[in-house]
Structures are given as C-alpha cells and as structure tokens.
Amino acid sequence: MTTVEDTPRVAERGLPVGGVQRKRGAALEQAILQAAFDELSRVGYTAFSVEAVAARARTGKASIYRRWATKQDLVWDALTAVLPSPADCGLVERIPDSVTTVQALYDIARTIASVITSPAGDVIRTIKCEAASDPELAKLVDERFQAPRRAAMLALLRRGVERGEVRPDAATQLVADVLPAVLSHRVIMLRERLGEREIRQIMEQVVIPLVEAR
C-alpha cells in the first residue's frame, strides 16, 4: 500500500498520485517548459520561481533541477520553445539569390512585428525591462537573445554589400540593431499597431535609406 511517505518516490516513477497520472520523459519536459512560460507571463522574471513552476507542472523541484541547473537556464529554454529562432525570422545562413536584401528585410520586419505583439513578445519585453536594473540579467538577455539575432542581421547586411545592394559602411552592429529597435519602440512606447502600412513606412522612411547603396 502506498503511504504519504512514499508519495515523492511514486511521483518520480510516474505513477498515479491522487488519481492523476504523472508525466515522464519528453511529456514532463514539455509540461515544465509550458509551466515556466506561463509563470513568466504571470509574474515576470524577478518573481519567477522554480517552486511555482513545479506546482504548475505537477512535479517536484528535483525533476526540474535534474534537467535545468539554474533558473536562468529554465527561463531561456522556455522562451526558446515559444520564440522564433533567427532562422524562423528569415535570418538564415543561405538566402536564395533571387531574394534581395530589401525583400529579406521586409520579411524579417513582418516576423518581428508578429512576435513582439504576441504573448511571447510580452514576456521578453518584461524581461528586458527588468534587465535595466539587473546587469547579470541584461548580459544574459544580450548573450542568449539579442546577440544571435544581431549577428544574423549583420550577416544579411554583409551579403547585401557583396551584392551591391547595401553601403559598406552600413554593415555594422549598430545598423543591425535599428530595425528591431524601431519596431519595438513603436509597440512598447507608442502602443502602435504594426500592420503592413506601418511596416512599409518604417522600411521606406528609416531602414532602406539607412542601408541602401547609393
């Protein structure tokens, strides 16, 4: 007979506790990642706790720590599971020759706009705001989130230089930050809807004049 003292061991084996079948393996990992994202959405990064995630996922903290050594690792894997990768945004290593730099930038702008106006975008914005007063978190945000996307954008601009579509002095990290920064500003600070018209205005008035070869 299962006693109260046996309950943690029973849960670890994935056996029913209180009539509920516990998840295991990949199903448990997915449940933990979803619980982590839900908790981030509710309380933000500062108040985020592994204990709360464990409760949401109906598992123990030990199950989480066996898979993720730190809170930061869990947070970023949860975000990675819902946020598009640089490649999903159109920032791929090899772009077909038929696609111009401007066309690629339009596609990237549309994807970024859809992300930052989504629930996942709400979470990453909250984390970025909290990073303003947390240097360690700020470093993590840049290393795990912004740096890979900046590098991919820079590679796109360098490709444009090789094709004669982008000015050589526009292929810089500073310029690579401009498009996502402008899009984020319009949503976060100005509460603006980012439809096709707004994206076209940003591209035609800011991005294209900034990068195009003259």
Side-chain angles (χ1 to χ4, degrees):
M1 182 175 71
T2 300
T3 66
V4 173
E5 289 78 12
D6 293 326
T7 299
R9 291 191 294 277
V10 169
E12 288 300 319
R13 293 198 301 269
L15 298 176
V17 176
V20 178
Q21 179 69 41
R22 295 297 179 118
K23 296 180 175 65
R24 293 185 295 178
L28 176 57
E29 290 191 6
Q30 184 57 46
I32 292 170
L33 290 173
Q34 183 61 55
F37 179 76
D38 291 344
E39 188 66 12
L40 279 170
S41 301
R42 189 178 74 86
V43 304
Y45 179 83
T46 302
F48 179 92
S49 71
V50 172
E51 290 83 354
V53 173
R56 280 181 179 272
R58 299 185 61 81
T59 190
K61 288 194 297 180
S63 294
I64 296 177
Y65 281 121
R66 276 199 299 272
R67 293 165 172 81
W68 293 275
T70 68
K71 162 184 166 178
Q72 290 87 348
D73 290 336
L74 174 58
V75 164
W76 286 104
D77 276 1
L79 286 174
T80 299
V82 297
L83 288 171
S85 67
D88 293 332
C89 292
L91 291 163
V92 295
E93 186 174 342
R94 296 188 63 82
I95 299 173
D97 288 341
S98 60
V99 177
T100 67
T101 302
V102 167
Q103 288 171 333
L105 287 170
Y106 264 109
D107 289 342
I108 291 164
R110 293 183 184 106
T111 304
I112 292 174
S114 69
V115 170
I116 61 179
T117 55
S118 71
D122 292 339
V123 172
I124 195 64
R125 286 201 304 275
T126 298
I127 291 175
K128 284 183 175 182
C129 289
E130 293 175 344
S133 58
D134 185 337
E136 210 171 290
L137 178 59
K139 182 181 178 183
L140 190 66
V141 169
D142 189 67
E143 289 178 351
R144 299 278 189 95
F145 182 76
Q146 294 179 170
R149 288 157 177 78
R150 185 187 305 119
M153 181 72 83
L154 186 55
L156 171 63
L157 294 175
R158 287 172 176 164
R159 170 187 179 269
V161 172
E162 293 173 0
R163 291 165 58 96
E165 297 168 347
V166 172
R167 297 194 331 272
D169 61 348
T172 68
Q173 289 194 353
L174 186 61
V175 173
D177 281 336
V178 169
L179 178 57
V182 172
L183 291 167
S184 297
H185 174 74
R186 305 303 296 187
V187 171
I188 298 170
M189 302 305 296
L190 303 183
R191 304 291 180 182
E192 184 174 279
R193 173 187 170 275
L194 285 178
E196 188 63 27
R197 184 175 72 89
E198 290 77 18
I199 289 172
R200 185 167 295 280
Q201 287 175 340
I202 291 168
M203 288 294 299
E204 292 179 350
Q205 297 178 31
V206 179
V207 179
I208 295 174
L210 180 64
V211 306
E212 68 180 345
R214 299 191 178 101

